[in-house]
Amino acid sequence: MTYSGVVKVGGPADVHELTDLMISKVAVGPMDNNAYLLRCRATGEQLLIDAANDADTLLTLIGDDGIAAVVTTHRHGDHWQALAEVVAATGARTYAGAYDVEGIPVATDVPVADGDTVRVGRVELTARRLVGHTPGSIALVYDDPHGHPHVFTGDCLFPGGVGNTWKDPEAFASLIHDVETKLFAALPDESWIYPGHGKDTTLGDERPHLAEWRERGW
């Protein structure tokens, strides 16, 4: 079946099958959070992005093979409600942006800096720090050697705009700058965006609206 990226809480995962990586997307919790399970097709190793809520759903998705790691995209509580339970059940190592670890109540084993590599099996993801939604939000970029990049943006980029900066001009200026320079300027239009809530998008779909976002200030 063709991947759409459209999921709902209580519904099945949608699976994006790439040559080297399988990406399973589920929606969990009262804030309709997305969680993503990445599986290296060569080794079977798995990594979870955002143990947001509903540990039972996430552990069922993970299955008997377990996970090597959980990456928390940022410190906001709706993105780590199930983290403690998932880590306790799987023994996974925890990763988060170095500037957000103090806001996550589960110890971070690996603080992540801008440009760091996060691996799942033979697949490498590059972390990009995006400042404004929180001080230490990170996106993860998989530059697929067989196709276009795939980017897990947490709450920093969505269809229609960047993440919430609560009408703080400095925070918005920082976030739009980081998103423009580290994502839009660095990656092609075909890059697929997997956000922390809601539907997916591409950089090409969003690029024409950057000036509009700057003008409106959110």
Side-chain angles (χ1 to χ4, degrees):
M1 293 181 65
T2 301
Y3 174 80
S4 70
V6 177
V7 292
K8 62 180 182 179
V9 176
D14 197 9
V15 181
H16 206 168
E17 296 195 25
L18 310 179
T19 302
D20 296 334
L21 185 69
M22 292 182 63
I23 303 166
S24 299
K25 176 182 181 178
V26 292
V28 292
M31 296 186 69
D32 196 18
N33 285 74
N34 296 327
Y36 300 94
L37 181 69
L38 279 54
R39 182 181 181 92
C40 172
R41 300 185 76 150
T43 67
E45 186 170 280
Q46 299 189 126
L47 173 151
L48 183 68
I49 299 175
D50 283 345
N53 209 304
D54 194 353
D56 288 343
T57 292
L58 298 179
L59 291 170
T60 298
L61 179 69
I62 290 164
D64 293 339
D65 289 341
I67 50 173
V70 182
V71 178
T72 303
T73 58
H74 63 289
R75 65 171 67 184
H76 288 158
D78 59 309
H79 290 260
W80 47 253
Q81 291 297 310
L83 182 59
E85 191 169 344
V86 168
V87 169
T90 63
R93 288 172 64 79
T94 53
Y95 292 70
Y99 290 87
D100 265 14
V101 296
E102 66 184 24
I104 300 170
V106 178
T108 299
D109 296 320
V110 184
V112 178
D114 187 58
D116 281 358
T117 297
V118 178
R119 292 180 175 83
V120 52
R122 298 178 187 170
V123 170
E124 293 187 350
L125 310 165
T126 301
R128 301 317 312 253
R129 181 186 176 199
L130 306 172
V131 181
H133 184 68
T134 67
S137 290
I138 54 171
L140 294 175
V141 180
Y142 169 50
D143 193 359
D144 186 354
H146 308 285
H148 53 73
H150 297 257
V151 189
F152 303 88
T153 56
D155 283 2
C156 288
L157 179 63
F158 296 97
V162 296
N164 196 342
T165 51
W166 297 276
K167 299 182 179 180
D168 180 334
E170 290 187 7
F172 172 75
S174 175
L175 183 56
I176 193 76
H177 172 269
D178 283 359
V179 166
E180 284 187 328
T181 57
K182 296 180 181 181
L183 300 183
F184 284 97
L187 300 172
D189 283 351
E190 296 78 14
S191 302
W192 195 280
I193 303 300
Y194 304 83
H197 305 262
K199 296 180 180 179
D200 299 357
T201 187
T202 67
L203 288 186
D205 284 343
E206 306 305 322
R207 193 184 301 274
H209 305 289
L210 284 168
E212 172 192 337
W213 300 351
R214 276 194 171 275
E215 177 66 23
R216 75 189 186 192
W218 56 272

